[in-house]
Amino acid sequence: MDLNYIVYRNLKKNIKNYYLYVFALIFSVALYFSFVTLQFDPSMDEVAGSVKGGAAIGTSSILLVAIVAIFLLYANTIFIKRRSKEIGLFQLIGLTKGKIFRLLSAENLMLYFGSMVAGIAAGFAMSRLILMILFKILEIDAMAELRFSSEALVRTIIVFAAIYVLIMLMNYTFIKGQSILSLFKVNVTTQTQIRKMPLWEIVLGILGIAFVGGGYYISTQLFSGKYTEMSELMRAMITILALVIIGTYLFYKGSVSFLFNAIRKSKQGYLSINEVLSLSSIMFRMKSNALLLTIITTVSALAIGLLSLSYISYYSAEATAKESSPDDFGFARVEAKEKFVQALDAQNIKYKEIHMKPIMMEVDASGIMDNSAFKSPDDRLLLTAVLSEKDFSGMDLQPDETTIVGYGGALQQFMSLSETGEVIFDTLNGKVSLQVQGNSSEAVLPYYYGGGGAIFVVDESRYQGFVQAQNPKVQRGEGKREYYGIELADRSQRAEANEIFLELKPEQPSFSQYEVELEQRSNMGLIMFIVGFLGLTFLITSGCILYFKQMDEGEEEKDGYTILRKLGFTQGDLLRGVQFKQLFNFGIPLIIGLCHSYFAVKSGWFFFGTEMLTPMILVMLLYTVLYSIFGFLSVLYYKRVIKASL
Amino acid sequence: MVILQANKIYKTYGNKFNKQEVLKGIDLQVDKGEFVGIMGASGSGKTTLLNVLSSIDRVSQGTIEIEGKEFTGMKEKQLAEFRKHHLGFIFQEYNLLDTLTVKENVLLPLSITGISKKEAHQRFAQVAGELGIAELQNKYPAEISGGQKQRTSAARAFVHEPSIIFADEPTGALDSKSASDLLNKLSDMNRGRQATIVMVTHDPVAASYCSRVVFIRDGQIYTQLNKGDEPRQSFFNDIIKTQGVLGGVQSWT
């Protein structure tokens, strides 16, 4: 039996044991390779209008390398520890450390580069699929072609070879630093100290929950108008981040064991098998993984949050476009509108014209801002656009009445306005007090005119009076006094009309709702695509790490299963207990991650779109499903351990 | 009353080309309230005997009955059910679950039987009082001494009042003081509760606490000693003598 034979045998054994590692490796390589292929693909730069597609993907590929490298290095520390006994044995039979290192290197070389070749092949196949997904998201009608990029190949090989060298370096220092005796004992030392819970841990536990809760609370207040200055806002955001991250760490370090301990105490020592396997084991083990779990939770919350936001943005592109340009097309200058209208007539596209003349006025809105966080009189004096009721079909206001339109989106979150109350309009002829009758979130003027503020609508006669007595000091420039909107009769002709619009290149300011929507789709689509794939990589790698941790834990708890089976618990009993335990082991980080991202998204989603729940829930569901797969895999692993335990 | 009845049990390991007979037709009968010791040198098959008697391992041939129930043919699930109700275990390595407190460890066998909480606490109070571990109930195994661990393990074996208790070298890892302490407790429990105990040991001192000692050699019963009304000291001397013959110098010529 020579060295090569040992290498061969080890390899065979390890592939069976570490199929998930091999899978994760192949997957990482495949993903990286297809990413880099995309980056070098000439079709990418045509893809995303203002954002350079290739550049965006290039930057994120660096992030991808970081995730993959950390994962592979981390996985390696787990595996080298598992094999420490074997290494000790080799040393015992007289192999030198150098020789053992060569043995491991050779074995890893085959495993690693074997998976790499497989990964590149898979990545090559996958890159077309990915490109197809990207085109689909961006609504680009192009054939995704399969191009093999040698640049991508070279880069992939360099990156993963560098990671391989790092891993070998790590193994080398591990082998060098260990004595035979300590190698046999590695598993023993990793076991957690089990003793009674000290007081400081209870304090930490309570603090953890308090911190997370506090962070969540501030996040709900973030854009309620409480923090009006930029520096205050920044401080609040940093506080939230710090509270939530530290809170999460303390939660894993203390709160979980604190809560579980409380449940256990209430049982007064009479535990069911489910509780024996889950509560007592998680109580002690989650603590030692606190840092790892915190990182996983935080990054997955980040991934879910970003993905939700970009999906919200993508999902509500149409509504957002409507907010920023309420009519299909809008013009500030009559000549531009005329040119466009003529072109539409020539193409036989039917339309409706809208003409509005917003006047700017100062309005004292103290009467309807009682519930708002803006307290100082200056903040309550709004400079806003005023329109006449005749621009709205079916609206009939009394001369002393006014109503608010365009009160939606972020504005609604920032500034709460009562539905009724008194507002005072400032004119050259003195102050005019009107009664507010309700408000509507419907946008009527492009963002360009109202600046996203609320718009007051008044009775026609009142409007004429305001026009007469308008204060020239607060009026806007020439381009903002008139608004011409074009509403198509048949909205299915939007694309056609947009072509005309683009061809004419009307002078600014002019707006096309359809164009805004497309732009938003393609920008957000690309971001969503990148965040999605980074998130996926992170999900798979962190899922693998949790799974590997569970493999270790399973081995450590094998003795316990032996005892329990001797006492008369069946395999079924134990398996149920383990399932219960995994519900917590995977469920707790998942739920905390989801909670974090929920509060993150909730605090600021209205800047990104108009619909929060549907896109967010879809993203969360997808994440949960993918994540659960690792939970199931770990239960299958435990099943084998339990079966072999007696 | 007969609690355990083993008839002609054989246990072989390996395949048909490389067979190793560990037990070669052992007959054993244990009555209620007996404290039986099984002695033998390393490799004599005493642990294998204990394993098959306690249903953890299967016999190759022969039958074993506990309280009139034959279990050698039972399925895995039925066996677990059987162990749950009829058997208690004490092991050399204590086999306590590290993550559970003393009380939780002791009450473990009760949680499968579905006994009421109140009754469980009563049982614990009683058995813990008898074994002197009541004050330790909220401590973790890592916080108590070896002797205390073994008494915890014993309490776990007694708490559900099984038909028979199997002890595998219970004193093997203890110092002599803790060992005699434990053995005294065990024989008290044996007398007080009329509990039936089968203990494997290679320590003559431990064996001297038993009411009967069975000697095994090469997978067969070599001889048995009954304590009767003898004092422990003289029973110990008998055991030493028998052990000397059993494991002593053989005539090779």
Side-chain angles (χ1 to χ4, degrees), chain A residues 454-471:
Chain A
I455 291 163
F456 288 90
V457 184
V458 296
D459 176 65
E460 170 64 15
S461 60
R462 183 67 77 188
Y463 175 77
Q464 291 306 334
F466 282 171
V467 171
Q468 296 304 316
Q470 59 181 296
N471 184 354

Side-chain angles (χ1 to χ4, degrees), chain A residues 57-358:
Chain A
I57 289 197
T59 323
S60 51
S61 74
I62 295 173
L63 259 175
L64 192 67
V65 170
I67 295 176
V68 169
I70 291 172
F71 160 66
L72 290 178
L73 288 176
Y74 190 83
N76 187 56
T77 51
I78 293 179
F79 288 127
I80 190 104
K81 264 195 196 133
R82 283 171 75 94
R83 301 184 62 187
S84 60
K85 230 177 209 163
E86 191 185 324
I87 296 172
L89 204 68
F90 282 148
Q91 266 178 274
L92 214 56
I93 59 170
L95 285 183
T96 61
K97 283 182 174 179
K99 212 157 195 177
I100 295 170
F101 175 67
R102 277 204 295 284
L103 199 87
L104 275 183
S105 304
E107 186 195 309
N108 261 324
L109 193 77
M110 285 193 255
L111 202 74
Y112 194 90
F113 285 94
S115 330
M116 209 167 106
V117 170
I120 289 175
F124 181 55
M126 223 160 81
S127 63
R128 180 160 182 218
L129 181 73
I130 290 178
L131 199 62
M132 258 153 52
I133 294 172
L134 182 60
F135 282 171
K136 174 95 186 129
I137 293 175
L138 301 183
E139 294 175 354
I140 289 174
D141 290 323
M143 268 309 288
E145 276 176 62
L146 208 54
R147 283 194 199 84
F148 190 83
S149 152
S150 50
E151 271 174 288
L153 179 70
V154 170
R155 189 171 285 196
T156 308
I157 290 176
I158 290 174
V159 164
F160 282 88
I163 297 176
Y164 175 75
V165 170
L166 273 179
I167 288 178
M168 283 304 104
L169 214 65
M170 227 164 96
N171 286 352
Y172 185 74
T173 45
F174 180 81
I175 297 172
K176 263 272 140 50
Q178 299 279 352
S179 69
I180 295 182
L181 212 58
S182 62
L183 284 171
F184 280 112
K185 274 190 193 150
V186 164
N187 281 330
V188 182
T189 52
T190 54
Q191 256 166 23
T192 35
Q193 275 292 311
I194 286 160
R195 57 193 154 60
K196 248 181 154 160
M197 210 157 113
L199 185 72
W200 59 268
E201 240 178 62
I202 298 176
V203 176
L204 280 192
I206 297 172
L207 267 185
I209 297 175
F211 274 24
V212 174
Y216 285 174
Y217 175 74
I218 301 179
S219 83
T220 59
Q221 301 295 309
L222 192 59
F223 294 113
S224 66
K226 203 170 182 177
Y227 307 99
T228 42
E229 270 177 55
M230 206 55 206
S231 61
E232 278 178 60
L233 208 60
M234 278 303 286
R235 229 174 297 138
M237 280 177 175
I238 291 170
T239 315
I240 293 172
L241 263 185
L243 278 182
V244 170
I245 292 177
I246 297 173
T248 310
Y249 180 73
L250 294 182
F251 184 83
Y252 290 125
K253 197 86 191 164
S255 309
V256 172
S257 36
F258 167 66
L259 290 178
F260 282 15
N261 201 34
I263 298 174
R264 257 175 91 176
K265 275 258 172 67
S266 72
K267 303 271 174 196
Q268 291 176 309
Y270 195 36
L271 299 182
S272 74
I273 180 72
N274 280 1
E275 288 154 355
V276 167
L277 290 178
S278 57
L279 292 184
S280 61
S281 146
I282 291 175
M283 233 177 97
F284 293 106
R285 290 186 197 277
M286 207 159 250
K287 260 189 283 197
S288 53
N289 296 335
L291 188 66
L292 175 79
L293 286 172
T294 308
I295 295 172
I296 289 181
T297 310
T298 314
V299 182
S300 42
L302 194 74
I304 301 173
L306 287 179
L307 200 57
S308 297
L309 287 181
S310 45
Y311 188 43
I312 284 173
S313 203
Y314 179 80
Y315 187 87
S316 40
E318 197 179 336
T320 310
K322 213 164 191 153
E323 256 183 26
S324 84
S325 170
D327 300 313
D328 289 331
F329 298 95
F331 305 92
R333 289 173 199 283
V334 69
E335 315 87 62
K337 182 213 62 167
E338 284 306 323
K339 249 166 85 186
F340 182 62
V341 165
Q342 278 161 17
L344 286 184
D345 287 337
Q347 294 290 323
N348 255 335
I349 297 174
K350 297 212 166 40
Y351 56 88
K352 194 179 90 193
E353 280 191 54
I354 292 153
H355 182 205
M356 289 185 199
K357 286 174 154 181

Side-chain angles (χ1 to χ4, degrees), chain A residues 191 193-197 261 264-273 275-276 280-281 283-285 557 559-571 573 646, chain B residues 56 76-77 80-81 83-84 87 89 91 95-101 103-105 107-117 120-121 138-143 156:
Chain A
Q191 256 166 23
Q193 275 292 311
I194 286 160
R195 57 193 154 60
K196 248 181 154 160
M197 210 157 113
N261 201 34
R264 257 175 91 176
K265 275 258 172 67
S266 72
K267 303 271 174 196
Q268 291 176 309
Y270 195 36
L271 299 182
S272 74
I273 180 72
E275 288 154 355
V276 167
S280 61
S281 146
M283 233 177 97
F284 293 106
R285 290 186 197 277
E557 288 188 351
D559 293 342
Y561 301 147
T562 312
I563 300 169
L564 288 169
R565 284 188 65 187
K566 278 184 184 169
L567 289 181
F569 289 96
T570 60
Q571 290 187 44
D573 291 335
L646 191 70
Chain B
I56 289 171
E76 186 55 45
K77 231 182 179 161
E81 190 66 24
R83 282 202 287 276
K84 212 185 274 190
L87 309 184
F89 292 94
F91 306 94
N95 278 359
L96 298 174
L97 292 178
D98 295 340
T99 53
L100 300 185
T101 62
K103 187 174 183 184
E104 286 162 352
N105 261 302
L107 289 182
L108 209 48
L110 290 183
S111 72
I112 359 177
T113 56
I115 249 173
S116 81
K117 220 174 181 176
H121 292 314
N138 289 323
K139 290 219 151 82
Y140 285 99
E143 299 173 306
R156 186 179 64 192

Side-chain angles (χ1 to χ4, degrees), chain A residues 249-523:
Chain A
Y249 180 73
L250 294 182
F251 184 83
Y252 290 125
K253 197 86 191 164
S255 309
V256 172
S257 36
F258 167 66
L259 290 178
F260 282 15
N261 201 34
I263 298 174
R264 257 175 91 176
K265 275 258 172 67
S266 72
K267 303 271 174 196
Q268 291 176 309
Y270 195 36
L271 299 182
S272 74
I273 180 72
N274 280 1
E275 288 154 355
V276 167
L277 290 178
S278 57
L279 292 184
S280 61
S281 146
I282 291 175
M283 233 177 97
F284 293 106
R285 290 186 197 277
M286 207 159 250
K287 260 189 283 197
S288 53
N289 296 335
L291 188 66
L292 175 79
L293 286 172
T294 308
I295 295 172
I296 289 181
T297 310
T298 314
V299 182
S300 42
L302 194 74
I304 301 173
L306 287 179
L307 200 57
S308 297
L309 287 181
S310 45
Y311 188 43
I312 284 173
S313 203
Y314 179 80
Y315 187 87
S316 40
E318 197 179 336
T320 310
K322 213 164 191 153
E323 256 183 26
S324 84
S325 170
D327 300 313
D328 289 331
F329 298 95
F331 305 92
R333 289 173 199 283
V334 69
E335 315 87 62
K337 182 213 62 167
E338 284 306 323
K339 249 166 85 186
F340 182 62
V341 165
Q342 278 161 17
L344 286 184
D345 287 337
Q347 294 290 323
N348 255 335
I349 297 174
K350 297 212 166 40
Y351 56 88
K352 194 179 90 193
E353 280 191 54
I354 292 153
H355 182 205
M356 289 185 199
K357 286 174 154 181
I359 47 171
M360 296 306 287
M361 295 186 79
E362 278 190 322
V363 181
D364 180 0
S366 301
I368 53 170
M369 286 175 81
D370 281 348
N371 302 326
S372 138
F374 296 94
K375 299 291 182 212
S376 82
D378 276 354
D379 285 336
R380 294 180 163 207
L381 198 62
L382 311 174
L383 180 63
T384 178
V386 175
L387 290 171
S388 160
E389 66 177 355
K390 79 168 172 32
D391 297 332
F392 300 87
S393 58
M395 194 184 281
D396 187 24
L397 292 165
Q398 299 303 311
D400 61 343
E401 281 176 359
T402 179
T403 188
I404 299 167
V405 294
Y407 175 60
L411 186 67
Q412 216 167 16
Q413 305 288 335
F414 260 125
M415 189 190 285
S416 61
L417 300 177
S418 320
E419 292 209 9
T420 54
E422 191 179 55
V423 288
I424 301 157
F425 290 76
D426 192 27
T427 72
L428 287 180
N429 301 338
K431 297 195 185 300
V432 177
S433 159
L434 297 181
Q435 209 52 42
V436 173
Q437 295 293 333
N439 54 41
S440 121
S441 62
E442 199 196 338
V444 290
L445 279 178
Y447 191 81
Y448 173 77
Y449 291 88
I455 291 163
F456 288 90
V457 184
V458 296
D459 176 65
E460 170 64 15
S461 60
R462 183 67 77 188
Y463 175 77
Q464 291 306 334
F466 282 171
V467 171
Q468 296 304 316
Q470 59 181 296
N471 184 354
K473 268 187 265 170
V474 297
Q475 294 312 312
R476 297 263 180 81
E478 187 63 31
K480 291 196 177 178
R481 296 208 181 142
E482 308 257 349
Y483 168 67
Y484 301 93
I486 301 291
E487 193 77 23
L488 296 185
D490 181 3
R491 280 179 66 81
S492 63
Q493 289 174 309
R494 287 200 312 159
E496 209 180 317
N498 192 48
E499 294 271 307
I500 300 171
F501 179 84
L502 290 181
E503 238 168 72
L504 281 177
K505 292 203 189 69
E507 57 180 309
Q508 295 297 332
S510 56
F511 325 94
S512 161
Q513 193 188 92
Y514 192 66
E515 191 58 24
V516 173
E517 187 185 325
L518 282 187
E519 214 160 87
Q520 172 127 350
R521 280 249 165 87
S522 78
N523 283 343

Side-chain angles (χ1 to χ4, degrees), chain B residues 2 11 19-20 28 83 124 136 139 146 184 209 227:
Chain B
V2 181
K11 177 71 187 173
K19 221 188 247 172
Q20 200 189 354
L28 185 69
R83 282 202 287 276
F124 174 77
L136 307 173
K139 290 219 151 82
N184 274 321
Y209 284 84
K227 187 178 176 193

